[in-house]
Amino acid sequence: VGWRGPGANDPEAAVGAVIARLLAGATDTRLPAALQSGESPVLSVQAGWDSRRDASFLWAAAAPRVEADSAQVERDLLTAVRRLASKAPDGAELDQARKRVIVPMLFGMQSPRGRANALGEAVWLNGDPAAAQQRIAAVRRVTPEDVRRFAERLLRDDAQAVVWLRGTTPATEDRP
Amino acid sequence: MKRLWCVLLPILALVPGAVLAETPPALWPAPVVTRLDNGLVVAVFHNPRLPVVQVQLAVPAGLAAEDSTQLGASALAASLLRAGTSSRTSAEFQRDLDRIAGVFATNVSREMALASSGFLASDFEAGLELFSDAVINPVFPDEEFEVARRSAARQLGVSRSNLTTIADERVWMAAFAPHPYARAVGGTLGGLLTMSRSQLQTFHRDHWRPDRATLVIAGDVTPERALAGAREWFGRWTGTSDPLPAPPVDSPRRGRVVLVDLPGTERAEIRLARIGPGRESDASAAWSVLAQVLNDSGRLPHGARASWSSLPGAGLFVLAAGAPADSAAELAKALVAAWSRVASRPPSPAEAAAAAEVQARTLPFSLETLGGLSTAWQAGRVAGLADDHLVRAADRVRRGAEAAAIESAARAFAAAPVIVVAGPAERMRDALATLGEVELQPLDESVVPPPAEPPPSPEQLARGRELVEAAVQAHGGAAKLDALKAYLFGGEMVIHNPQQEISGLFEQLRVEPYRLSFLTKILELSTRQVLDGDRAWAVTGSDPPQYMDADSAGVVGLRAVFESDLLHALRFAREPGAQAVWRGTEQTGARPADLVEFRTPAGARVRLVLDGASRRVLALDTAPSPQGVWHDRRWFSDHRLVSGIWFPFREERRVDGTKVSTFRMRTVVVNPPVDEKLFRKPGDKR
């Protein structure tokens, strides 16, 4: 599932990156906790934030087991993501998510190539190379209420898309 | 390139001073180095340009530390450090790492094993504690060990399909064997499949010790804070590690062509190599400069590359190229000619100086990251270089271009190299023979040729015969087995695929000699394979049934199936020519089981695994490799007495440790009436 969001220059764009890391990418995040506890019908979960100049995209994905009720998995996935709009993260949860955004950015900026990539991305996305540095500061400033408010703004039905990918075995006559 | 600059220049022009001011150019001063009481060398590179820290431990636990019976242990041990410690499960370790958004990685080379972790500087103490727990206290849990072992074996299988990887590994083998530097990263299939968890624990105990280890702490942490952390979390680490082997000597394979046979491939990879000085030697720099000159000067055939890898005690200079198989010999000759010209026409001082300058100026790129800096420092330290060796690294490279150094290195190329060619041997062998004696190697798992097995002692032979007789007795006695002319058995079967399990039914009728009816019903599909002496056929489905005659290979296959049951194994083992040999014991369940190897009348090696008390056959091993790894094992259990013979009612087959099938018998009938129609193909006049 995914939601269309504001462009990279939106003042709250950094919140989107934090939301993605609140949802997945580590053991203590929301999607594994909601969809993968106990005898779970879900094999794996992922989430990400894809930021572009004019728009951005929050996505979350679940891979159900073959025998699972995939419609129920979809409902559970949507519920878990939308819960961000009603239940803001606590301090520790948010702190970890912020770190998971910042640490890869910092390690990526060690080398000249990494710094050049960060600067180039900032120029293309924001029209300002200083945005590379400002992005880190913006992530550090994200508060629990920022997350709840941005989630409320972002997770609207009219901005939502749902895609199912079904594994199929091609019929014999269709095989090359 | 022009287009790239069109993009980059406007970006660079826009860079404000504030951004660059916060990320000043990196410097590589000598680190602050301290040796703890336990011998651990701690080096701190204080670099505050980014608020992160990387810690990296180097231990002499690389391939060179492996025992010849533990090939693959170094990489497996390193990969399992995070799989659970004496105070954390694997999940708890990952959870704690996630909480600081840390990363943890390991890497193993011929000379050393590295473990590293990175995190925010504000989490330095928590990160260092977690890191120390992983490297000092791993427990290698059973389940994770099995998963990692299989994963490593699969990875090895994947690398076997890569011609370049095969050639690269074989050239190290050809140049260095029997020295441990000959070993392949990742080990061998045989080593992985026979490795036990306790071997891995022993490997860690013997080699992951502080006395010859170095810990680098680099980043935004002061030396005082870093050393306090190191003392806190590494100060109580104890023990001493085993010494590494002596440096290698020059290869006995020089002047020969090692041809690695890969039937069916269309391309070939060629390597020429020789051993050079170790990293600790100043002469090493000249060899590196030579490689640079060859790559930059057009002295090599099109597409060929020169490389220099330096290790403690020795290095390896390699020329590498690939070509269609039919052109491989010509390319190999061109490479040999280029090799010889290094000695007859060494690089000029100007060429050498230019090449050295390229290396000196690009050196900083490899030291830009905290990880690169740590690895470069530790690699020098392992080779015995001084603590401040990175400060002088560029000067060392430039000295490698001095005339005396280059001439000395170039003279070594007057001697013939080791030549390794990987590809279809049949298409290349004759043409390659003009380059030297061709030594054909199959694509097997051997990295170092297997030791010849000593002939069995009279005691082993006597014990082997005695155990076979005991096993025959335990299954009902020779008279009962000899009287068995036919038996019928059937039940349920499960085929274990990686993706899913497929269940079905089966029934076998075995009639001496060489008559077999093997019926399977899987997913509504019924198939019956029939062997009738020297011919065979199969029938599938019923509406209408489809009949198919087996070719000669199919007949041979079904005859092998006929002979593969437990009762035939016991009969064969008793025959005078079987040469039953006792091969020691194996811990199977609660007690040791005896291993007895013998040869079938067809010459195949088979091994019985006999219960230490009852002497019943617990398992049957087949398909051994030259290294003594038995790839195929069938486990027998639930033995029941039928007409005076003990039959196993459950059989589980494993190939290379992976379960592939399970048969559960429901009925066994000894010497049943035989319906001749079963063996007669409809329409067959015979």
Side-chain angles (χ1 to χ4, degrees):
Chain A
V1 298
W3 290 265
R4 189 178 62 245
N9 272 323
D10 187 278
E12 292 188 306
V15 186
V18 175
I19 281 180
R21 298 281 70 87
L22 279 165
L23 289 174
T27 46
D28 279 354
T29 48
R30 293 197 175 195
L31 295 185
L35 279 81
Q36 289 190 291
S37 54
E39 292 288 312
S40 167
V42 175
L43 288 167
S44 68
V45 290
Q46 295 176 66
W49 173 254
D50 191 350
S51 185
R52 305 294 170 99
R53 186 160 40 190
D54 301 319
S56 55
F57 185 53
L58 175 74
W59 60 271
R65 295 181 190 280
V66 173
E67 68 277 11
D69 178 349
S70 49
Q72 184 61 45
V73 170
E74 182 195 324
R75 284 193 293 276
D76 292 345
L77 181 63
L78 285 167
T79 303
V81 177
R82 285 183 174 139
R83 205 149 171 261
L84 282 165
S86 58
K87 183 174 183 287
D90 64 24
E93 186 185 10
L94 180 61
D95 185 48
Q96 288 169 33
R98 282 191 302 231
K99 284 180 183 175
R100 286 195 287 272
V101 177
I102 290 170
V103 169
M105 290 168 78
L106 290 173
F107 274 99
M109 290 172 74
Q110 292 182 88
S111 66
R113 177 192 290 261
R115 289 198 293 279
N117 282 344
L119 290 169
E121 188 177 297
V123 169
W124 286 111
L125 288 183
N126 307 93
D128 179 6
Q133 208 72 28
Q134 291 161 358
R135 199 175 295 141
I136 294 174
V139 171
R140 284 203 173 104
R141 285 196 302 270
V142 171
T143 67
E145 179 53 21
D146 290 340
V147 171
R148 197 205 57 74
R149 191 177 58 247
F150 188 68
E152 197 174 59
R153 174 186 162 198
L154 183 73
L155 304 173
R156 302 186 328 269
D157 287 348
D158 64 341
Q160 177 184 305
V162 178
V163 174
W164 288 34
L165 284 177
R166 265 188 66 203
T168 56
T169 305
T172 309
E173 61 270 22
D174 294 337
R175 291 175 196 161
Chain B
M1 181 58 91
K2 193 173 175 183
R3 185 177 300 167
L4 179 64
W5 280 110
C6 289
V7 174
L8 284 178
L9 285 174
I11 295 171
L12 295 173
L14 287 167
V15 172
V19 172
L20 292 181
E22 289 185 39
T23 53
L27 297 171
W28 306 283
V32 175
V33 179
T34 304
R35 185 184 284 271
L36 303 188
D37 291 343
N38 57 12
L40 177 67
V41 172
V42 181
V44 183
F45 286 91
H46 181 211
N47 186 337
R49 66 186 175 131
L50 291 166
V52 291
V53 176
Q54 170 135 345
V55 295
Q56 182 161 292
L57 181 76
V59 286
L63 271 64
E66 291 175 348
D67 184 271
S68 61
T69 62
Q70 307 170 315
L71 300 179
S74 56
L76 205 54
S79 73
L80 282 166
L81 291 177
R82 59 187 302 160
T85 71
S86 51
S87 60
R88 289 178 171 95
T89 64
S90 173
E92 287 167 347
F93 182 85
Q94 188 58 49
R95 179 202 61 199
D96 291 350
L97 192 64
D98 284 342
R99 285 182 175 168
I100 57 170
V103 290
F104 182 92
T106 56
N107 188 30
V108 169
S109 63
R110 289 181 168 81
E111 55 185 308
M112 61 183 175
L114 295 173
S116 62
S117 190
F119 28 76
L120 288 174
S122 55
D123 288 320
F124 171 66
E125 281 76 15
L128 193 63
E129 183 276 319
L130 192 60
F131 179 71
S132 71
D133 195 25
V135 297
I136 297 175
N137 308 313
V139 293
F140 306 108
D142 265 332
E143 195 175 331
E144 280 82 354
F145 166 70
E146 281 302 327
V147 170
R149 191 164 66 135
R150 281 181 208 162
S151 168
R154 268 196 302 276
Q155 195 58 41
L156 209 57
V158 171
S159 71
R160 285 275 173 83
S161 61
N162 187 313
L163 192 60
T164 304
T165 305
I166 292 166
D168 289 340
E169 286 187 351
R170 288 309 174 101
V171 77
W172 281 83
M173 170 186 165
F176 281 108
H179 190 272
Y181 283 171
R183 293 170 186 161
V185 177
T188 64
L189 203 54
L192 289 170
L193 295 175
T194 55
M195 195 176 300
S196 66
R197 178 182 165 234
S198 65
Q199 276 182 305
L200 217 57
Q201 288 170 318
T202 303
F203 182 83
H204 182 269
R205 183 199 64 203
D206 292 344
H207 301 289
W208 284 76
R209 293 293 126 197
D211 60 316
R212 289 190 294 126
T214 57
L215 175 68
V216 171
I217 301 173
D220 188 13
V221 57
T222 62
E224 296 74 24
R225 186 180 168 202
L227 287 173
R231 286 198 176 93
E232 171 74 20
W233 298 111
F234 286 87
R236 285 186 288 273
W237 192 16
T238 59
T240 55
S241 54
D242 287 351
L244 286 176
V249 294
D250 204 0
S251 171
R253 285 193 169 85
R254 278 203 296 109
R256 296 161 77 179
V257 180
V258 175
L259 179 54
V260 184
D261 187 19
L262 301 161
T265 49
E266 288 299 319
R267 289 188 62 79
E269 284 289 329
I270 302 145
R271 303 289 183 268
L272 272 59
R274 71 153 297 149
I275 293 176
R279 189 184 298 143
E280 66 284 353
S281 165
D282 279 346
S284 173
W287 288 66
S288 180
V289 169
L290 269 184
Q292 185 81 40
V293 170
L294 291 182
N295 287 330
D296 293 350
S297 64
R299 292 174 178 230
L300 297 178
H302 178 70
R305 298 289 298 168
S307 66
W308 167 244
S309 307
S310 65
L311 299 171
L316 190 68
F317 192 98
V318 178
L319 292 188
D326 295 334
S327 307
E330 283 308 309
L331 180 58
K333 285 174 195 168
L335 286 170
V336 169
W339 181 278
S340 303
R341 278 197 299 273
V342 176
S344 61
R345 203 160 55 84
S348 68
E351 278 181 309
E357 201 55 32
V358 169
Q359 293 198 335
R361 290 188 182 204
T362 52
L363 181 68
F365 287 106
S366 65
L367 307 176
E368 269 281 349
T369 63
L370 299 175
L373 179 66
S374 303
T375 302
W377 187 81
Q378 284 169 316
R381 197 62 176 59
V382 164
L385 297 181
D387 290 341
D388 62 349
H389 70 91
L390 287 181
V391 177
R392 294 191 302 274
D395 290 340
R396 197 164 181 249
V397 170
R398 291 186 179 103
R399 280 204 306 280
E402 289 173 0
I406 284 289
E407 282 165 16
S408 170
R411 274 198 297 277
F413 286 73
V418 168
I419 303 173
V420 171
V421 181
E426 277 305 305
R427 290 166 61 183
M428 305 185 295
R429 187 175 194 159
D430 292 345
L432 288 170
T434 59
L435 291 171
E437 185 189 343
V438 176
E439 179 187 327
L440 187 66
Q441 287 186 357
L443 179 62
D444 196 15
E445 61 199 28
S446 63
V447 162
V448 176
E453 192 152 310
S457 66
E459 291 76 21
Q460 281 179 295
L461 287 166
R463 180 81 174 133
R465 280 193 300 272
E466 180 191 326
L467 284 167
V468 166
E469 288 306 324
V472 168
Q473 201 58 37
H475 279 272
K480 288 280 184 192
L481 294 183
D482 288 344
L484 184 74
K485 300 302 177 196
Y487 69 107
L488 172 74
F489 59 102
E492 293 106 38
M493 59 186 284
V494 182
I495 307 297
H496 305 274
N497 280 332
Q499 291 81 21
Q500 60 176 327
E501 292 190 342
I502 302 170
S503 302
L505 301 172
F506 78 97
E507 185 181 271
Q508 279 193 29
L509 173 63
R510 292 165 171 270
V511 183
E512 295 292 342
Y514 294 106
R515 299 178 87 194
L516 169 71
S517 165
F518 188 176
L519 174 71
T520 57
K521 285 182 182 169
I522 298 174
L523 301 175
E524 307 296 319
L525 181 67
S526 163
T527 303
R528 194 158 67 89
Q529 292 173 281
V530 178
L531 171 71
D532 186 15
D534 56 2
R535 64 190 193 130
W537 50 275
V539 56
T540 306
S542 57
D543 190 23
Q546 308 267 324
Y547 290 90
M548 188 186 301
D549 283 316
D551 59 16
S552 59
V555 173
V556 170
L558 274 182
R559 285 175 74 96
V561 169
F562 183 80
E563 290 179 342
S564 68
D565 66 333
L566 172 58
L567 302 182
H568 275 93
L570 286 171
R571 281 180 188 163
F572 289 154
R574 287 180 65 218
E575 290 184 3
Q579 280 214 309
V581 180
W582 180 62
R583 293 292 190 198
T585 60
E586 173 187 297
Q587 194 66 29
T588 305
R591 54 176 172 255
D594 285 288
L595 305 171
V596 179
E597 183 182 330
F598 65 94
R599 285 190 182 273
T600 67
R605 290 166 65 197
V606 177
R607 192 171 70 171
L608 299 166
V609 182
L610 303 179
D611 185 276
S614 73
R615 297 302 182 211
R616 281 191 204 129
V617 180
L618 298 176
L620 201 60
D621 291 332
T622 53
S625 73
Q627 288 70 33
V629 178
W630 295 81
H631 292 295
D632 194 320
R633 169 167 283 194
R634 284 182 292 148
W635 284 102
F636 302 117
S637 56
D638 190 16
H639 291 82
R640 299 184 202 174
L641 195 61
V642 180
S643 301
I645 297 174
W646 287 92
F647 284 89
F649 270 57
R650 188 172 192 280
E651 178 183 322
E652 180 183 297
R653 184 175 175 212
R654 288 175 177 263
V655 175
D656 290 336
T658 301
K659 188 158 67 175
V660 296
S661 63
T662 306
F663 288 82
R664 225 173 254 111
M665 273 51 108
R666 294 294 175 200
T667 56
V668 176
V669 183
V670 169
N671 292 331
V674 175
D675 182 357
E676 290 295 327
K677 288 198 296 258
L678 278 176
F679 299 97
R680 202 174 300 142
K681 187 180 159 196
D684 196 337
K685 294 194 170 62
R686 187 171 119 169

